[in-house]
Amino acid sequence: RKIKEGLIENLLDKEFLSRFILEYLIHSRNCIKVIGNKNNKKVQIIGAEKIRNGSDNYDVDYVYNYDWRLRRSETIPYTKYSKFNKTEKEQIKVYQILTPGVEVYSIPSYSSAGNWIWLDGQISLFQKQNLENSINPSAIIKIYENPGNKEEKEKFIQDLQTSFASARNAGKVLTFFSDGKELAPDVTIADANKLDKSFAATQENIIRNVSYSHTTNPMLMGIVTAGSLGNTEELNTAFKMFNNIYLKGTQSLLEDYLNDIIKIAGFTDSKVKFKSKESYLD
């Protein structure tokens, strides 16, 4: 960064830059509150989810609400930032990418994977609920003789569980003795849940489609692709494609946004420049 020491460093500190970039990645929209109507204005990031464009119901440019889901939550009107506006002490400056067909708000690029992201959460919830609430015995034992009393019945069941339940007892031989074939218990092995293969295939589709919606090769996130060796050359090739298709354009756009913010704050002779990586291992 080519910046003056002191004021601009405080303006664009690590926390400011991190949040600004995350706001863009999540919303494709950055909302800045400009405080002051003279030189050396202060700038403050506001969550894009809290700012809505003005409408017929609000005779202003923007409306702020801490939580739009709460009907009683206070709304605050703001005007669009203009350097010629010398009356408003607080204004809103909005940066957002253009989305064809949508003029009011921008749509994040990853929205195409919205259903897959939702499905990922539902599968994890289903598996959690299935483990907590389902009854899936691995073996069904039918005994054609009533125990002598309740204590004997409970002891028999407890002995079975102690001797054969859990991973430590896997592979043990289950043996019963009886006074005749008619009194011998029936042991039926229950079918295993076959949903695991279906879930595994779905999980692969989720990872692939969410990665593609971010124009990212799953390999760059440390996810091994079937049939791929994942060597250094493949990683560098995947990174170069991601860098040329997405990173460079995004960095250039964010540079323009940040440099405009610097000018708003009164620093006209300084610029922000991101350092680009040319290799996955840089």
Side-chain angles (χ1 to χ4, degrees):
R1 295 179 297 168
K2 297 179 180 179
I3 59 177
K4 291 181 179 179
E5 294 183 0
L7 293 177
I8 297 182
E9 280 189 334
N10 293 332
L11 172 66
L12 301 181
D13 60 10
K14 184 177 180 181
E15 182 180 353
F16 184 97
L17 289 173
S18 297
R19 186 177 175 191
F20 189 86
I21 293 171
L22 282 176
E23 285 283 328
Y24 174 82
L25 295 177
I26 294 173
H27 301 286
S28 294
R29 192 173 195 247
N30 293 86
C31 299
I32 301 295
K33 180 193 287 188
V34 182
I35 304 172
N37 50 15
K38 297 181 181 180
N39 294 333
N40 296 325
K41 301 179 181 67
K42 295 182 180 180
V43 293
Q44 181 182 24
I45 298 175
I46 299 181
E49 75 282 356
K50 297 178 174 61
I51 297 293
R52 289 187 179 179
N53 290 4
S55 63
D56 295 338
N57 296 328
Y58 302 100
D59 189 21
V60 290
D61 297 310
Y62 300 109
V63 182
Y64 169 89
N65 193 311
Y66 179 78
D67 191 341
W68 287 96
R69 296 170 298 180
L70 303 177
R71 294 184 178 180
R72 296 183 180 180
S73 183
E74 180 185 6
T75 57
I76 303 174
Y78 287 101
T79 58
K80 183 178 180 180
Y81 169 75
S82 172
K83 63 181 180 180
F84 302 107
N85 189 333
K86 303 299 182 181
T87 58
E88 300 290 339
K89 292 185 177 180
E90 293 185 346
Q91 303 174 66
I92 295 294
K93 176 70 174 179
V94 174
Y95 303 92
Q96 67 181 44
I97 62 174
L98 297 176
T99 304
V102 181
E103 297 182 359
V104 180
Y105 301 104
S106 57
I107 299 178
S109 60
Y110 62 83
S111 60
S112 60
N115 288 335
W116 292 103
I117 296 171
W118 176 88
L119 182 60
D120 188 33
Q122 293 300 305
I123 287 179
S124 63
L125 177 61
F126 175 83
Q127 291 179 328
K128 175 178 178 293
Q129 295 294 97
N130 195 34
L131 285 172
E132 291 181 350
N133 303 318
S134 64
I135 301 174
N136 296 303
S138 58
I140 301 172
I141 301 174
K142 300 178 182 178
I143 300 176
Y144 301 98
E145 182 180 8
N146 287 323
N149 51 54
K150 182 179 179 180
E151 289 75 15
E152 184 178 340
K153 176 182 177 181
E154 291 177 351
K155 185 177 183 306
F156 175 79
I157 295 174
Q158 183 178 0
D159 289 344
L160 273 179
Q161 292 176 339
T162 302
S163 300
F164 299 101
S166 79
R168 291 175 178 264
N169 294 315
K172 283 190 174 181
V173 178
L174 181 63
T175 305
F176 289 102
F177 297 93
S178 66
D179 293 331
K181 186 176 181 179
E182 294 77 10
L183 299 177
D186 288 338
V187 180
T188 304
I189 303 301
D191 292 335
N193 192 332
K194 298 180 180 180
L195 289 177
D196 56 340
K197 294 182 179 180
S198 177
F199 282 148
T202 302
Q203 197 67 37
E204 290 180 6
N205 288 331
I206 290 172
I207 294 172
R208 184 171 61 251
N209 284 283
V210 171
S211 298
Y212 292 165
S213 72
H214 288 85
T215 64
T216 305
N217 189 321
M219 186 188 304
L220 295 178
M221 298 187 293
I223 301 172
V224 179
T225 304
S228 175
L229 297 177
N231 56 38
T232 302
E233 187 60 33
E234 287 179 317
L235 285 170
N236 278 329
T237 300
F239 176 76
K240 287 179 181 179
M241 293 179 63
F242 177 61
N243 192 25
N244 292 328
I245 294 173
Y246 181 79
L247 278 184
K248 288 183 178 180
T250 301
Q251 287 177 344
S252 177
L253 189 64
L254 290 175
E255 286 171 1
D256 292 341
Y257 291 170
L258 291 170
N259 285 326
D260 190 52
I261 291 174
I262 289 176
K263 289 181 180 180
I264 291 174
F267 303 97
T268 58
D269 57 348
S270 301
K271 286 187 177 181
V272 171
K273 182 69 177 177
F274 288 107
K275 181 179 179 181
S276 300
K277 293 179 61 175
E278 298 299 331
S279 171
Y280 181 78
L281 299 178
D282 286 348

